[in-house]
Amino acid sequence: MSKQKRIALVTGASRGLGKNMAINLAKKGINVVFTYQSKKEDAMETAKEIEKYGCQAAFLQLDVQDINSFELFFGNLRTCLKDNFQTDKIDYLVNNAGIGAYATFAETTEDQFDSMFNIHIKGAYFLSQSAIKTMNDHGSIVNISSGLTRFCTQGYAAYAAAKGAVEVLTKYQASELGSRGIRVNVVAPGPIETDFGGGVVRDNKDLNQVISSQTALGRVGLPDDIGSVVAFLCTDESKWINAQRIEVSGGYYL
Ligand code: NAP
């Protein structure tokens, strides 16, 4: 009898980094349940890519800001796991979904602040809290932060502060979940070419060049630079890596 493949839940995998993480997980032989917020057609494309690697894919709608919807979401997840994967548990969680907000510290509105903290920390906090009830022991959680917690690019105070909280949460999660053999790490990407921030890193040629010149490896990041690291952190190859912040930026702003 063939061994049951492990299952990862990845938030925000309709596009960008999450999509690439999902594909890299499939390359490692891991089935993927992922979420989209608004772009269902893009989610269908992600699913097709996953299936190319001989893994199963399923996707569910989720707004990580909407904590009140989590009970319904996990009900839908359990049904999805039973119907598609003949199990009631996941093995890995990747808290990736997120957006940026550009405003200086002096000009940040309360709405912008709340949106950053609700999406990046409150959402990830309570989603993980529910997810661990549906997670096998000896699994792994990967949180996604940002290089902006180490260096400052003006205009990202609220975003970076929320990501800083994600990094602290990672250590507490690792400390408290270690008894179940669940490892928790945080990946902090540098600037990557995705739709993030209106796609500015990818589409603004001048900015792209400036970032490249400030990066030791001489270019900006691409989604595959991140997805492969996240997938690695969800395998036994990284079995002794725990509670770590891993910056994946090609050596930005050294
Ligand atoms: P992206 O290309 O804009 O994709 C964002 C993804 O998150 C999409 O799948 C989107 O779903 C989903 N999403 C957005 N808001 C959501 C919400 N409220 N609830 C649930 N899902 C939501 O961005 P990305 O570059 O892949 O960013 C992914 C993560 O990496 C974020 O946490 C970001 O902070 C972090 N990051 C990015 C960079 C970078 O330079 N790109 C650098 C450092 C860290 P829909 O498409 O369905 O709407």
Side-chain angles (χ1 to χ4, degrees), residues 128-150:
S128 304
Q129 191 184 71
S130 297
I132 56 170
K133 297 177 195 145
T134 306
M135 186 181 282
N136 284 316
D137 289 353
H138 307 289
S140 165
I141 298 175
V142 183
N143 294 320
I144 302 302
S145 177
S146 165
L148 290 166
T149 60
R150 175 177 65 82

Side-chain angles (χ1 to χ4, degrees), residues 12-18 36-39 62-65 96-99 119-120 144-146 159 163 189-192 194-196:
S14 43
R15 294 180 282 136
L17 300 185
Y36 68 96
Q37 188 200 11
S38 58
K39 300 204 181 308
L62 173 70
D63 180 349
V64 291
Q65 284 191 91
N96 163 73
I99 58 168
I119 291 176
H120 294 284
I144 302 302
S145 177
S146 165
Y159 171 76
K163 290 297 200 185
I192 314 290
T194 68
D195 294 339
F196 188 81

Side-chain angles (χ1 to χ4, degrees), residues 223-234:
D224 200 53
D225 296 323
I226 307 301
S228 55
V229 176
V230 170
F232 163 71
L233 290 171
C234 291

Side-chain angles (χ1 to χ4, degrees), residues 189-236:
I192 314 290
E193 291 189 1
T194 68
D195 294 339
F196 188 81
V200 68
V201 172
R202 179 190 57 216
D203 301 336
N204 182 327
K205 296 297 164 216
D206 292 341
L207 179 65
N208 192 293
Q209 254 185 1
V210 171
I211 293 169
S212 301
S213 70
Q214 292 166 335
T215 304
L217 292 179
R219 63 169 175 83
V220 302
L222 300 172
D224 200 53
D225 296 323
I226 307 301
S228 55
V229 176
V230 170
F232 163 71
L233 290 171
C234 291
T235 64
D236 290 343

